[in-house]
Each structure stands twice: as C-alpha cells, then as structure tokens.
Amino acid sequence: MTGNALPSTPDAPRPPGAPSGSGRLDPAIAARLKRYADGLVPAIAQQYDTGEVLMLGWMDDEALHRTLTTGRCTYWSRSRREYWVKGDTSGHVQHVKSVALDCDADTLLVKVDQVGAACHTGDRTCFDADVLPLGK
C-alpha cells in the first residue's frame, strides 16, 4: 500500500503487472470507489449467513467487475501480481451473495457462501490462528 492517499478517480491506475481487463466496471460504480494509490480497494469476505469474517483480499476495478458479473470472488494478488479466483486451485470457492461499499466508499464487504477453508493455510478463516492477548 502506498501511503494513505485514496484518489477517487474512475480511471485509477491498475496494479503493477495487471493486464488490461476484458470487462469494464460499471462507470457509476467506478466513480464512487476510493482506491489506494496502487488502484486497489480492500475487500472483506464475510460468511453471508453467520457473519463470520473470513478473509481480506484486494480488488481493482477489473477484479470487482469479475466478482460482480461471475458470482465468484476474484482478487488481485499483490505478491503474485495476478488475478485469482478464490477456489480455482483449492476447491474452496466463494459464491457471492452480495457486495457493498462502506460509508467512505474505500472498502468492500463481500458476503459469500464459503465452501471449505477461506484461508490458504487450511483454516476456516484467516483470523483463527493468531488471536492476540488483550492487556488490562
């Protein structure tokens, strides 16, 4: 992430190495998004029926377009510098139930029906393994 700059331009930069997309995000949605300087928006995946927070991924306009049009979560991998559809290699698919913008339009909440583990470690969520102690 590059600083805290959140430009809200519909033509935000694509993440480095991202191919030009075949689809195009609805311009009305694109105009509302506030992206980090690298063109990405955090996307929180939540189990639609239990409210369980599953994981955090990153989306650019193309990933969001694919997510909205296919019903499967597509993310931008910052480490691999490529798009990935959750479950294509693991079988742990996220079926999209709804997508919402937060009040500042800088974070996405994607409610999904998670099949199998959401975390690449095999845990149900990415937040199961390392709960930090609270000081009193």
Side-chain angles (χ1 to χ4, degrees):
M1 197 161 23
T2 311
N4 291 327
L6 292 170
S8 61
T9 60
D11 297 318
R14 301 187 70 71
S20 58
S22 58
R24 179 151 167 82
L25 184 62
D26 179 321
I29 296 170
R32 294 174 59 202
L33 284 177
K34 293 180 186 171
R35 303 162 190 82
Y36 283 88
D38 57 8
L40 298 173
V41 175
I44 301 164
Q46 180 182 39
Q47 179 64 33
Y48 82 100
D49 53 355
T50 66
E52 181 179 32
V53 177
L54 301 169
M55 59 173 279
L56 172 81
W58 295 91
M59 293 185 182
D60 66 354
D61 287 19
E62 178 65 19
L64 180 54
H65 169 75
R66 292 180 188 186
T67 298
L68 292 170
T69 58
T70 67
R72 298 264 317 274
C73 281
T74 300
Y75 299 99
W76 174 257
S77 171
R78 296 180 303 164
S79 60
R80 295 189 313 263
R81 301 172 74 98
E82 66 184 14
Y83 293 106
W84 58 282
V85 179
K86 183 68 175 166
D88 271 2
T89 57
S90 67
H92 300 164
V93 177
Q94 291 176 341
H95 299 285
V96 177
K97 297 294 187 177
S98 68
V99 180
L101 279 172
D102 76 338
C103 58
D104 295 321
D106 63 2
T107 303
L108 297 163
L109 177 61
V110 186
K111 292 190 178 183
V112 301
D113 189 10
Q114 177 70 48
V115 176
C119 188
H120 70 280
T121 65
D123 286 333
R124 170 70 181 164
T125 85
C126 293
F127 302 100
D128 284 346
D130 199 7
V131 177
L132 303 177
L134 297 176
K136 302 268 180 189

